[in-house]
Amino acid sequence: MSDFALLLTHDVDRPYKTYQSLFYATRERPAYHLRTLLSRENPYWQFEDIVELERELGVRSSFYFLDEPSLLRTGSLTDLLDPANWIEHFGRYDITSDELVDLVQDLDAGGWEVGMHGSFRSCEDIDRLDTEKRELESILGHEILGGRQHHLKLGDSTWEFHREIGLTYDASPGSSTDVGFQHGYQPFRPFDDEFVVFPLTLMEVALPDPGVSFDAAWAECERLLVEAEANDAVMTVLWHPRYFNEDEFPGYRRLYRQLVEWALERGAWVGPVADYYRAFLEVAEPTHGNVVTTE
């Protein structure tokens, strides 16, 4: 087995296509996007397809669920006047709805990791982070290990808050515009204890559009995989569920499959962040000896 790892993650930002239909209709294929607005079908609900694809490949992944509070309930006057906050408000979903509860529990039962996707303003609000963690854990019936902040948004004290509420990892540091190992090849411990940070190597939206030039997108993925293998790196990738919809995002599903297959063929460890943490980075009980690492 190779010493490098490929960690698979999915941020569940928008499981339902709503206002996006009107936005995209002004840019391209208006008939299609308006039809998705009126149809009962939901093109962003790709969870069954992702599970089927990953099960076929023999892997599992991490799903990070967002619990964005209503802006009308928590927003200050300044927040209410910020258009960016209204985008978050109109796109929010209810994680306690029957459909989302069933999804979360089914993923968990199937061996996929369920973690939290800290809401837009939670990075500077420990009470909000704690509420979101407890809500998700009440649905799961057990504790979670970690997650990633929405929009990769970190404050000066976010990791301290994560640690204080009982999370053991964060997977937020990264970029939606650049790819690569800007934070090094390995997870790191900011407090020299059990809390671990997993930098994000690759977000799908930062790649060349595979629907326009698949070869260019794959070349970038392969370059990162080769670099990861050469440096025994832990490479973390993010594919939002909506990008598995081939009608709107052609090429991304194929690219994801090829990425995973390449790593598996070379003997990489491939799976969810929590499983990697438990297998290689979890601090052992004092009676069981030293910390296990991959170094």
Side-chain angles (χ1 to χ4, degrees):
M1 183 182 225
S2 173
D3 288 330
F4 94 94
L6 180 66
L7 308 187
L8 308 174
T9 70
H10 311 289
D11 291 356
V12 186
D13 296 341
R14 302 289 176 256
Y16 303 104
K17 185 179 181 184
T18 54
Y19 70 89
Q20 298 95 335
S21 297
L22 296 174
F23 173 73
Y24 288 127
T26 65
R27 304 178 65 186
E28 61 171 18
R29 297 190 294 165
Y32 166 79
H33 290 292
L34 291 175
R35 187 168 66 250
T36 64
L37 180 64
L38 300 174
S39 172
R40 291 185 178 182
E41 294 183 6
N42 177 21
Y44 284 6
W45 192 275
Q46 296 292 315
F47 301 102
E48 289 84 357
D49 288 347
I50 297 171
V51 165
E52 182 180 353
L53 171 61
E54 293 181 346
R55 184 175 280 127
E56 178 187 339
L57 293 169
V59 300
R60 297 293 187 270
S61 60
S62 303
F63 284 85
Y64 300 137
F65 283 87
L66 182 63
D67 188 10
E68 187 71 45
S70 170
L71 184 62
L72 299 177
R73 181 166 58 87
T74 63
S76 65
L77 180 59
T78 301
D79 290 335
L80 290 169
L81 295 176
D82 186 345
N85 289 333
W86 282 102
I87 292 175
E88 299 301 324
H89 174 80
F90 286 125
R92 64 187 292 270
Y93 57 94
D94 182 3
I95 197 172
T96 66
S97 68
D98 290 344
E99 189 172 36
L100 265 298
V101 168
D102 288 345
L103 171 63
V104 165
Q105 293 177 345
D106 287 348
L107 288 170
D108 182 60
W112 279 263
E113 179 193 5
V114 173
M116 65 182 285
H117 196 34
S119 63
F120 190 59
R121 294 182 296 279
S122 70
C123 66
E124 297 175 341
D125 186 344
I126 189 172
D127 292 331
R128 182 66 224 168
L129 284 168
D130 189 52
T131 296
E132 292 173 17
K133 177 176 179 286
R134 290 176 182 273
E135 187 78 76
L136 186 57
E137 290 175 338
S138 71
I139 295 170
L140 289 168
H142 62 76
E143 293 185 344
I144 62 173
L145 263 66
R148 175 181 292 127
Q149 290 297 119
H150 193 31
H151 293 295
L152 313 181
K153 192 176 178 183
L154 291 169
D156 293 338
S157 301
T158 308
W159 289 338
E160 294 177 8
F161 293 162
H162 284 175
R163 186 176 60 160
E164 189 170 337
I165 67 173
L167 295 179
T168 54
Y169 82 79
D170 173 63
S172 301
S175 173
S176 61
T177 56
D178 298 310
V179 302
F181 297 92
Q182 293 95 341
H183 299 276
Y185 292 113
Q186 294 294 322
F188 59 91
R189 302 177 187 270
F191 309 111
D192 294 323
D193 60 9
E194 72 281 356
F195 186 81
V196 176
V197 173
F198 290 85
L200 176 61
T201 313
L202 165 63
M203 188 189 300
E204 84 286 278
V205 72
L207 292 168
D209 186 346
V212 176
S213 178
F214 184 88
D215 290 344
W218 171 245
E220 193 72 349
C221 291
E222 187 174 35
R223 178 184 68 80
L224 293 168
L225 287 164
V226 168
E227 185 177 353
E229 184 179 31
N231 291 278
D232 296 333
V234 177
M235 176 176 171
T236 304
V237 301
L238 163 56
W239 245 251
H240 293 86
R242 66 183 180 275
Y243 279 85
F244 287 84
N245 172 15
E246 282 292 304
D247 288 334
E248 295 190 25
F249 305 101
Y252 285 95
R253 180 197 296 257
R254 177 186 166 198
L255 194 63
Y256 183 79
R257 171 187 283 275
Q258 196 158 309
L259 190 78
V260 174
E261 288 176 338
W262 192 101
L264 290 172
E265 287 169 2
R266 283 154 180 81
W269 190 99
V270 181
V273 179
D275 286 9
Y276 185 88
Y277 177 89
R278 292 190 185 101
F280 300 109
L281 300 175
E282 190 169 33
V283 177
E285 293 296 327
T287 55
H288 295 134
N290 298 324
V291 176
V292 178
T293 70
T294 56
E295 295 179 0

